Amino acid sequence: MILGKQVVMIGGTGFVGRAILYALSKAGYHCKVLVRRPERHRDLLLFKNTQIGQCSPLTDAISLARQLEGADIVINLSADLSSGTEAISLEALAAVNRSLRKAIQQSGVKRVLTLSYLGANASQTEDAWRQALGELEAMMQTLENAPATIMRAGLLIGEQDDVTSRYQQQLKLLPFLPVPHGKTTVQPLWIKDFARAFVNLVPNFAAAGKRFEVAGEERLTLVDLAKTVAELMGKEDAMVFPMCSMNAKLMAKMGRFAPIRSSSETQLMMLNQDMVTDQDFQSQFGFEPACLEHALSTYVVPNHLRARYNFLRREAGREPQELAMLDIENPVEVP
């Protein structure tokens, strides 16, 4: 089967969506990102071969089917909670995906790739989020003409994420960092590696109907992750400790008015249990993901420390692509 380059994306305005959109654009795909309020997302047009389509409400199967006309591929990122005003609530997630499923079946779409997360389970009634993810997966896996590929992500990190960037923000304010769900174990994966793996599966029909668990290679607790952020920021003396659940919920409710910036409602929902997998990233996707230190260094390390960091990595004989990107015009060589 020959696969075209026309993509329609649901949930493309968030942290995950923008990374995948960038990777799709670089790979030569033509993307239409469906949103409810196009005027708020004109910056997406900066991506090559990208357009914005309006669909409101997303529960309208007829409108969705109209937007899918001429599409070869659907990228379903409706589970991405980082989409801001475009984020789909848990209460609406099932209805949106029922409508999307119906629209896909009525269209000529050949490929569907769907974002989910580790731990998704439709039977997990005590966890509304993971139960909703399990129901989403079930709906996509029963598509007849376009068998879906499910990508179950672990903790995805990168600039402006909802975890490590919050740790960074807190440490810039004060030399102490309370960590919500501090004992939870995760396998952080750089968002750029996740997007690359995701887009590499688009033309791979052997992946149709399959589910992949996608996470990094290093396992550590969230407290240990926060300590790594502190060390790379040059704040080794900062106090990093688990945050009690009551305070975490209070700070999350206060949002941008909270005196402690390391907590969010999304974190509390996603990270209330371990997010780990035994599935190996490299054997599934054919390349080695960036190590945790390198991924974090691209955005949490201050510029003056980043210059020294790169110097030390060069001295250690590391590959050029492993050097952290410098955000300064004239980086100073460190003797």
Side-chain angles (χ1 to χ4, degrees), residues 22-282:
Y22 177 66
L24 285 167
S25 177
K26 284 186 63 178
Y29 290 93
H30 295 258
C31 303
K32 181 198 290 185
V33 183
L34 299 189
V35 298
R36 287 170 287 199
R37 304 170 185 85
E39 66 279 0
R40 296 187 180 183
H41 304 287
R42 292 173 183 165
D43 61 308
L44 295 178
L45 298 176
L46 296 174
F47 291 102
K48 186 179 179 181
N49 300 323
T50 297
Q51 66 180 110
I52 298 174
Q54 184 174 19
C55 188
S56 183
L58 290 172
T59 51
D60 184 348
I62 296 175
S63 295
L64 279 171
R66 190 178 301 119
Q67 292 288 353
L68 296 186
E69 291 177 1
D72 305 295
I73 306 151
V74 166
I75 304 293
N76 179 10
L77 307 178
S78 57
D80 183 5
L81 298 171
S82 66
S83 299
T85 58
E86 295 290 329
I88 298 170
S89 67
L90 285 184
E91 294 75 20
L93 190 61
V96 167
N97 279 280
R98 278 194 295 268
S99 297
L100 179 59
R101 181 177 180 276
K102 185 175 180 180
I104 290 170
Q105 289 178 322
Q106 294 174 353
S107 71
V109 170
K110 302 180 182 70
R111 286 286 282 124
V112 176
L113 288 93
T114 296
L115 173 69
S116 185
Y117 289 91
L118 295 177
N121 186 346
S123 301
Q124 197 166 348
T125 55
E126 69 279 8
D127 190 321
W129 182 63
R130 287 176 172 80
Q131 182 181 30
L133 291 177
E135 293 171 350
L136 182 159
E137 290 186 10
M139 280 186 272
M140 292 296 106
Q141 288 176 320
T142 55
L143 286 166
E144 297 174 0
N145 300 324
T149 300
I150 307 293
M151 293 283 276
R152 280 188 174 181
L155 176 62
L156 301 177
I157 64 171
E159 189 171 9
Q160 297 183 344
D161 69 0
D162 196 48
V163 178
T164 60
S165 291
R166 285 186 175 274
Y167 298 165
Q168 178 189 27
Q169 184 181 21
Q170 174 64 24
L171 288 167
K172 284 181 178 179
L173 292 174
L174 295 167
F176 70 94
L177 173 54
V179 181
H181 296 312
K183 296 181 180 180
T184 294
T185 300
V186 293
Q187 293 173 255
L189 177 66
W190 196 18
I191 185 64
K192 291 188 177 182
D193 287 331
F194 178 78
R196 177 183 172 187
F198 196 104
V199 173
N200 284 352
L201 287 184
V202 172
N204 183 1
F205 281 96
K210 295 183 179 180
R211 183 172 61 204
F212 297 85
E213 295 192 342
V214 193
E217 297 183 336
E218 298 153 87
R219 290 192 182 190
L220 69 171
T221 66
L222 288 173
V223 162
D224 288 334
L225 175 61
K227 288 179 179 178
T228 303
V229 171
E231 289 170 3
L232 288 172
M233 291 179 68
K235 297 181 179 292
E236 296 89 346
D237 296 331
M239 295 177 57
V240 180
F241 54 91
M243 188 180 193
C244 79
S245 58
M246 183 179 299
N247 283 338
K249 290 177 182 178
L250 177 60
M251 294 301 106
K253 284 288 184 185
M254 294 177 68
R256 62 189 181 92
F257 299 107
I260 295 175
R261 307 292 177 84
S262 53
S263 179
S264 75
E265 292 184 329
T266 298
Q267 276 186 37
L268 298 182
M269 184 165 58
M270 289 182 63
L271 300 173
N272 62 352
Q273 62 180 251
D274 293 346
M275 295 187 76
V276 297
T277 177
D278 291 328
Q279 293 188 19
D280 179 67
F281 184 96
Q282 186 171 2

